[in-house]
Amino acid sequence: MANESRPCPCDIGDRFDYGGRGQEVQVEHIKAYVCKPSASTDKAVIVIHDIFGWELPNTRYIADMLTTNGYIAICPDFFVGQGAWKPSNDWATFDEWAKTRNAGKIDKEVDVVLKYLRDQCGTKKIGVIGFCWGGAAVQHLMLKNPHLKAGVSLYGVIRRFDDKSNLLHPTLFIFGEKDDIIPLEQVTSLEQKLKQNCKVDYEVKIYPGQTHGFVHRKREDINPQDKPFIEEGRKDMINWLNKYL
């Protein structure tokens, strides 16, 4: 996401060579990646992609990880056909690009996805996770949408919603200590506001030495020193969903 003074150096990181175990479907006006567990379940998780879009293999890898933990996982194209950000794009154009992709204006698409999950998949308990741009979208939904049960915001850009902290549902916030895009003072400020205003369970967790995108954009085999934190972040995400769904 963009900073106030400069475009964000949002690095795509280690692009996973991963095909995915799910399938692509059309849900009304939205394309989506869906993966279902072998056993039937009434629990689902909406996975909200980062600026690199719904087709990024890394994000689908996390969706499939949710499925191995017993959830139906759906990763819709919340850019609705508008192109994802490409690493080759000029960062000077990022703010202009982001204007047409507002993480706080996805309610129509979320309603369509919720209807699909209830009507086509038989789900009753639905949570949401999101990365970067999607992490900001999770915070928006946790403030507004009554139909979701829990959320996990992974390095969601705080300043998009930093004046709002009265969450409706239990929310876990995951941040990296060395995130160039989200300064620690913003994280501290968020935590203070949550402490003052939030009536539901929440947790703000900072992972030592970690940079933006560490949970889904880093490969453990390439970054052995980060492996414990990558694994811990993923485990914390699953445990939060297990607790509240």
Side-chain angles (χ1 to χ4, degrees):
M1 301 298 297
N3 255 342
E4 286 85 345
S5 56
R6 62 190 173 86
C8 144
C10 207
D11 182 6
I12 201 163
D14 310 318
R15 190 183 176 99
F16 292 8
D17 181 18
Y18 183 75
R21 294 168 43 201
Q23 59 183 353
E24 293 183 6
V25 298
Q26 188 75 33
V27 183
E28 292 189 26
H29 66 293
I30 311 161
K31 286 183 178 175
Y33 174 80
V34 180
C35 195
K36 297 179 181 178
S38 50
S40 64
T41 179
D42 65 352
K43 298 177 182 180
V45 178
I46 300 169
V47 179
I48 307 183
H49 54 75
D50 58 18
I51 60 171
F52 299 111
W54 73 295
E55 294 177 295
L56 186 71
N58 306 40
T59 308
R60 295 188 175 192
Y61 177 82
I62 299 291
D64 288 0
M65 182 185 294
L66 291 167
T67 300
T68 61
N69 283 272
Y71 296 99
I72 296 167
I74 182 167
C75 180
D77 175 16
F78 282 106
F79 294 159
V80 198
Q82 295 187 97
W85 183 259
K86 296 185 178 67
S88 58
N89 288 6
D90 180 3
W91 278 115
T93 66
F94 181 81
D95 282 345
E96 201 58 39
W97 176 90
K99 279 179 189 170
T100 57
R101 296 160 180 82
N102 187 332
K105 292 185 176 174
I106 60 168
D107 302 299
K108 180 182 167 191
E109 283 69 41
V110 169
D111 287 345
V112 166
V113 172
L114 287 170
K115 185 175 186 300
Y116 168 82
L117 288 172
R118 285 192 295 256
D119 296 353
Q120 304 296 320
C121 306
T123 56
K124 294 185 174 69
K125 297 174 183 172
I126 303 170
V128 60
I129 68 166
F131 307 93
C132 179
W133 184 91
V138 167
Q139 190 170 350
H140 164 74
L141 292 169
M142 292 294 96
L143 289 161
K144 187 171 180 187
N145 193 300
H147 306 296
L148 296 160
K149 298 289 185 195
V152 182
S153 172
L154 298 100
Y155 24 87
V157 179
I158 296 168
R159 65 182 188 81
R160 300 274 160 185
F161 306 103
D162 63 2
D163 58 333
K164 303 178 184 75
S165 51
N166 195 9
L167 303 169
L168 299 176
H169 314 286
T171 308
L172 170 64
F173 296 88
I174 287 176
F175 296 105
E177 181 194 21
K178 306 279 192 207
D179 192 324
D180 288 338
I181 296 150
I182 305 169
L184 282 179
E185 54 265 28
Q186 287 185 13
V187 178
T188 305
S189 172
L190 171 70
E191 199 161 14
Q192 287 170 346
K193 287 170 184 170
L194 287 168
K195 198 174 279 187
Q196 289 163 5
N197 302 317
C198 193
K199 306 286 193 296
V200 298
D201 286 354
Y202 69 87
E203 184 180 350
V204 177
K205 186 165 178 179
I206 299 166
Y207 295 73
Q210 295 310 295
T211 55
H212 193 72
F214 74 98
V215 173
H216 81 301
R217 289 197 208 139
K218 277 187 181 178
R219 277 175 51 181
E220 304 96 306
D221 54 343
I222 296 176
N223 308 278
Q225 73 283 3
D226 298 315
K227 182 177 179 179
F229 302 107
I230 297 167
E231 290 179 344
E232 184 182 348
R234 293 172 180 175
K235 188 176 167 190
D236 289 342
M237 175 186 74
I238 298 288
N239 286 345
W240 190 266
L241 294 168
N242 288 347
K243 183 176 180 181
Y244 294 104
L245 294 184

